[in-house]
Amino acid sequence: MIYFFDGSKEAFLTAFLEAFPDADAYLTCTQKQLSIGQESVFVQSDEVRAAKAERRLLQLDKNSLSDLSLLLRSGQTGHEQIAYRYLKKIATEGRPVRKMLADDDVVAAVECMNRVRWEIHRLHGFIRFMESASGALYAPFSPDNDVCDLLVPHFRARLPQFPFVLHDVSRKKAAIYDGKNAFVAPLERAEVVLSADEQGWQALWKRYYASVNIPSRERLKQMRGYMPVRYWKFLPEKISPSDG
Amino acid sequence: MITEEKLKILTEGAKYDVSCSSSGSSRKNKGGMGNGYVAGCCHSFTPDGRCISLLKILMSNHCIYSCRYCPNRADPDIPRAVATPEEICELVIDFYKRNYIEGLFLSSAVYRSPDYTMELLLRTVKMLRTQYNFHGYIHLKGIPRADMGMVRQAALYVDRMSYNIELPSERSLKLLAPQKDKESLLSPMRALTQEKAEYAQERKSSLFLPAGQTTQMIVGASPESDGQILRLTQSLYRNMGLKRVYYSSYVPVVHDSVLPDKPVGQLREHRLYQADWLLRFYGFTADEIAPEGENLPMDLDPKCAWALRNPQFFPVEINRAPLEALLRVPGIGAKSAYKITEARRFAALGFEDLGRMRVVLKRARHFITCKGKYYGAKNESAVRGLLAAPAERAEQLSLFSDRETALAALTGDL
């Protein structure tokens, strides 16, 4: 049986309880075409049941819900099922399982979480702010995983005086810090008026990028391995290669 | 705003310095801009495959010295520039604000005199911390023969300092960098190590070079063997308490009769880094890795070569071997060793389990047993044949083809 849910944590936990006795359960929030003969059900979020599942999982593994939160943010196909199998393992084993590193379900979940964590780390480096005329900072980006709000604490700690917007342009949402509070809001398109110096600093940065390279040691494959091409369209130094 | 031309000159003069690491400091933001990121962070990668973590720049490329290998040496007629402390500070603040960089790596040629240069550097880092209220990472290059009072003061403002040892022996230093000598490089390193220890004793180590000291040497411009280089490295780690020793394979930017015309293959540099990792994280000693007068083998990584020389330790049983023994298995890195020790507490591990855990078995299979069963080749010469990279392929190996170095590069630790 296929269990559809709306992607929220509550709906996932409701579907989790619903699916638990079913040995062939498949959890997903993607409304893909069903192959003929596959049975499916749409699970409505049920706060009471979700809270019950939450309490039980926390008793068994106090980190299970933070793991779930990471897994639900993953952009990997099938991540809902990975989360389901992982939590089911915690429930059947009755204890934390994350160190059972030779178990298929655990390996899948650990790798899925690591990819989300890894992208967060990468984005701490690859986010590029531009300065608006008002002094606020704006960074458009398009992450694999739904992580824009998880980047806020990092930038807030370093740039407390600067309001900033981390705009996930594919998910059409943004994590916003207004100089005091941080929140997430839907954001389709942002009109940004750049500060007078912004182009100048971008030009200097491109000049720096071109000058610090050692052309006789070219290793493009390595560069692309560390900084995959899909991140380039938001990096000024990769948008229009500077001459020099 | 600094001009593009000046930025270009001062960057090109600095770019042969290897270190760009921003790790090891957890400096807090005290009401201004920036903080330390213990794991380090890479912000971009250049087409040469290196990470940009810090703004790596010279204060000046005017030099009174004439080190034979150096592009900034006194004699040639090249474009020269000097930055003002304000120009550097603004550049750091505006780059940092846009998240281009993790901080500053400030170095300089010896401009007018060692003291004059050191004073400029000190003024810049002090200004950045106190007037610009910047708390991000700063790595400062020490100027040999500069007044130690200024050096000590600078150490209170920056996260890391480094004196480049330049060449692996005093003889080569005399020949290629005649105005520097061993003592002018080692004595300030020693003094800083000592002072850091005093701060640590009073539990104030975060105030004085929280990310410690590093150094760098050029490999292949002079005749020292890898065995010698690794002994020097080991003593720098043990006696000077350095955080990192960097190797930079010689790139001829200057034509000189005492220097080789050809660059040193990057494979040699790669092998030295592998050996360096064995010294720091895998419990090996320089004696185990390479005899004094010898170079590391090119066709095998140093751990593999050690294992083949020491068959008496193998195979090890994956389900019982202590962590230290697992770490000595070729192909098993720190991460895999950790995964094995965790996973085997739940169930005895078979060969397929290792594959599922993403333990790389290409080399390891010849040195382990799983539940008593051996899956490798029958004898040593067969193993050697299977593991050795053919010469032409070996040359193409990526500089960071092993996982640990790759990870370190990504986290800005290179």
Side-chain angles (χ1 to χ4, degrees):
Chain A
M1 172 92 91
I2 299 179
Y3 299 79
F4 289 110
F5 66 102
D6 66 10
S8 70
K9 185 181 78 176
E10 285 71 28
F12 173 87
L13 288 169
T14 316
F16 174 77
L17 289 181
E18 195 83 13
F20 200 83
D22 175 358
D24 297 319
Y26 189 85
L27 268 67
T28 181
C29 42
T30 327
Q31 298 275 10
K32 58 170 183 194
Q33 272 196 319
L34 297 173
S35 43
I36 296 162
Q38 263 181 319
E39 281 185 88
S40 69
V41 55
F42 189 88
V43 182
Q44 289 290 354
S45 165
D46 176 337
E47 269 177 51
V48 180
R49 294 188 74 195
K52 196 179 144 203
E54 203 165 291
R55 271 197 307 279
R56 184 72 187 123
L57 283 165
L58 278 176
Q59 280 169 359
L60 299 176
D61 176 352
K62 65 176 172 11
N63 296 315
S64 55
L65 290 175
S66 48
D67 285 356
L68 174 62
S69 158
L70 276 184
L71 289 167
L72 289 179
R73 289 164 175 279
S74 167
Q76 191 182 330
T77 334
H79 67 280
E80 307 93 327
Q81 180 69 359
I82 292 173
Y84 169 69
R85 307 271 304 181
Y86 176 66
L87 291 189
K88 190 165 179 176
K89 185 127 290 167
I90 294 176
T92 45
E93 292 281 327
R95 58 175 174 171
V97 298
R98 70 180 59 74
K99 288 184 173 172
M100 293 173 68
L101 290 166
D103 181 279
D104 283 329
D105 294 334
V106 176
V107 171
V110 167
E111 287 183 351
C112 187
M113 287 188 272
N114 282 345
R115 271 191 282 271
V116 179
R117 289 195 191 98
W118 184 228
E119 186 175 47
I120 293 170
H121 177 74
R122 262 185 169 154
L123 289 168
H124 286 158
F126 295 161
I127 286 289
R128 292 287 179 272
F129 286 114
M130 42 189 115
E131 188 186 51
S132 72
S134 72
L137 302 172
Y138 172 72
F141 67 123
S142 173
D144 298 340
N145 307 294
D146 186 5
V147 293
C148 66
D149 54 316
L150 297 184
L151 300 172
V152 171
H154 175 83
F155 290 107
R156 187 180 179 164
R158 347 187 105 185
L159 304 165
Q161 277 100 346
F162 297 87
F164 60 75
V165 176
L166 294 160
H167 187 186
D168 181 339
V169 294
S170 347
R171 290 181 184 78
K172 298 188 169 62
K173 63 196 271 194
I176 297 162
Y177 169 66
D178 62 10
K180 269 192 189 141
N181 302 302
F183 51 93
V184 179
L187 182 62
E188 184 108 11
R189 232 157 41 95
E191 300 287 342
V192 181
V193 182
L194 297 180
S195 72
D197 288 342
E198 179 58 27
Q199 292 303 338
W201 288 111
Q202 285 196 18
L204 277 175
W205 170 240
K206 287 180 189 182
R207 173 67 67 188
Y208 177 75
Y209 181 81
S211 307
V212 81
N213 182 43
I214 302 178
S216 64
R217 302 185 84 173
E218 184 171 275
R219 282 163 180 278
L220 296 174
K221 205 175 141 194
Q222 200 161 296
M223 171 181 66
R224 283 192 287 263
Y226 293 142
M227 189 169 73
V229 178
R230 62 182 183 280
Y231 293 103
W232 291 11
K233 71 175 160 181
F234 301 102
L235 303 173
E237 70 271 29
K238 300 309 281 181
I239 292 169
S240 58
S242 175
D243 39 352
Chain B
M1 202 185 279
I2 196 170
T3 64
E4 280 195 41
E5 184 56 24
K6 203 189 249 192
L7 177 67
K8 178 173 188 257
I9 295 169
L10 295 173
T11 304
E12 286 186 343
K15 71 179 173 189
Y16 293 97
D17 225 298
V18 180
S19 165
C20 195
S21 155
S22 56
S23 58
S25 175
S26 51
R27 188 178 290 276
K28 297 278 176 297
N29 184 357
K30 298 189 191 88
M33 178 191 292
N35 59 18
Y37 191 157
V38 185
C41 184
C42 291
H43 288 255
S44 193
F45 289 86
T46 37
D48 55 15
R50 299 192 302 168
C51 126
I52 298 180
S53 183
L54 305 174
L55 168 69
K56 201 186 309 187
I57 194 167
L58 299 181
M59 198 78 223
S60 166
N61 68 338
H62 284 282
C63 201
I64 55 168
Y65 288 176
S66 282
C67 304
R68 307 284 283 262
Y69 49 82
C70 181
N72 303 316
R73 71 199 191 290
D75 20 306
D77 184 19
I78 54 163
R80 307 270 178 179
V82 193
T84 64
E86 288 82 3
E87 280 173 333
I88 300 280
C89 292
E90 276 179 28
L91 196 54
V92 170
I93 294 294
D94 272 275
F95 275 13
Y96 192 89
K97 188 204 280 180
R98 291 170 175 77
N99 203 40
Y100 297 162
I101 54 168
E102 203 50 30
L104 171 68
F105 180 173
L106 185 60
S107 177
S108 185
V110 185
Y111 175 45
R112 295 194 193 169
S113 74
D115 282 351
Y116 187 87
T117 314
M118 196 63 223
E119 208 219 310
L120 257 180
L121 296 179
L122 171 60
R123 218 164 69 216
T124 308
V125 296
K126 194 173 168 182
M127 184 182 282
L128 195 48
R129 288 280 191 238
T130 55
Q131 289 176 31
Y132 288 82
N133 219 341
F134 177 74
H135 304 283
Y137 198 91
I138 303 180
H139 179 158
L140 185 67
K141 193 58 77 179
I143 303 297
R145 298 189 203 284
D147 171 62
M148 271 313 284
M150 285 196 285
V151 173
R152 285 203 171 87
Q153 221 197 322
L156 292 168
Y157 294 104
V158 305
D159 296 279
R160 170 171 282 181
M161 277 189 83
S162 59
Y163 280 85
N164 280 0
I165 212 151
E166 309 289 9
L167 293 153
S169 79
E170 185 152 31
R171 235 183 95 229
S172 298
L173 199 61
K174 246 189 204 127
L175 179 68
L176 298 175
Q179 287 114 326
K180 294 178 182 166
D181 63 38
K182 204 172 112 197
E183 268 317 291
S184 71
L185 302 168
L186 291 183
S187 79
M189 277 161 91
R190 214 174 285 126
L192 289 174
T193 302
Q194 205 179 355
E195 186 147 357
K196 185 163 167 57
E198 285 161 20
Y199 273 87
Q201 220 156 38
E202 295 171 40
R203 298 177 174 281
K204 287 180 182 162
S205 51
S206 65
L207 296 180
F208 192 89
L209 297 182
Q213 291 185 77
T214 60
T215 193
Q216 162 176 341
M217 60 183 111
I218 303 166
V219 173
S222 53
E224 293 79 12
S225 68
D226 294 345
Q228 263 173 289
I229 291 170
L230 289 170
R231 275 164 188 74
L232 173 61
T233 300
Q234 178 170 279
S235 82
L236 288 168
Y237 286 138
R238 286 184 183 171
N239 307 327
M240 290 282 188
L242 291 198
K243 294 285 187 210
R244 281 295 301 272
V245 173
Y246 292 95
Y247 312 96
S248 134
S249 63
Y250 174 67
V251 180
V253 276
V254 175
H255 292 287
D256 189 311
S257 57
V258 296
L259 289 168
D261 286 333
K262 280 197 175 155
V264 176
Q266 294 197 14
L267 184 59
R268 182 170 178 204
E269 185 184 289
H270 175 60
R271 292 282 182 246
L272 280 168
Y273 278 117
Q274 288 180 312
D276 182 271
W277 249 255
L278 293 183
L279 291 177
R280 287 187 299 144
F281 303 122
Y282 290 80
F284 283 82
T285 62
D287 283 332
E288 289 177 300
I289 302 168
E292 173 124 38
E294 283 181 27
N295 280 334
L296 294 166
M298 287 291 124
D299 57 343
L300 289 170
D301 69 77
K303 201 204 248 183
C304 225
W306 172 84
L308 289 170
R309 283 197 305 273
N310 294 279
Q312 69 276 17
F313 297 121
F314 299 102
V316 300
E317 168 55 45
I318 222 78
N319 288 296
R320 278 195 312 273
L323 182 64
E324 308 81 70
L326 290 175
L327 284 172
R328 288 190 169 232
V329 174
I332 293 187
K335 228 174 181 176
S336 291
Y338 165 80
K339 283 200 251 178
I340 291 168
T341 55
E342 288 299 336
R344 71 188 182 187
R345 287 159 43 177
F346 294 89
L349 302 175
F351 191 67
E352 311 73 49
D353 291 323
L354 294 181
R356 198 173 308 135
M357 291 159 66
R358 309 267 193 272
V359 175
V360 181
L361 293 162
K362 187 183 158 226
R363 279 158 293 170
R365 65 191 303 152
H366 308 293
F367 302 94
I368 56 170
T369 57
C370 305
K371 300 183 195 167
K373 197 157 178 255
Y374 178 67
Y375 295 83
K378 285 188 188 63
N379 56 50
E380 201 216 293
S381 62
V383 172
R384 191 173 274 277
L386 286 169
L387 294 181
E392 68 282 18
R393 241 203 69 225
E395 279 301 328
Q396 289 167 11
L397 277 179
S398 156
L399 171 56
F400 302 120
S401 62
D402 62 318
R403 285 183 58 132
E404 299 89 277
T405 354
L407 193 70
L410 284 166
T411 55
D413 209 6
L414 264 179

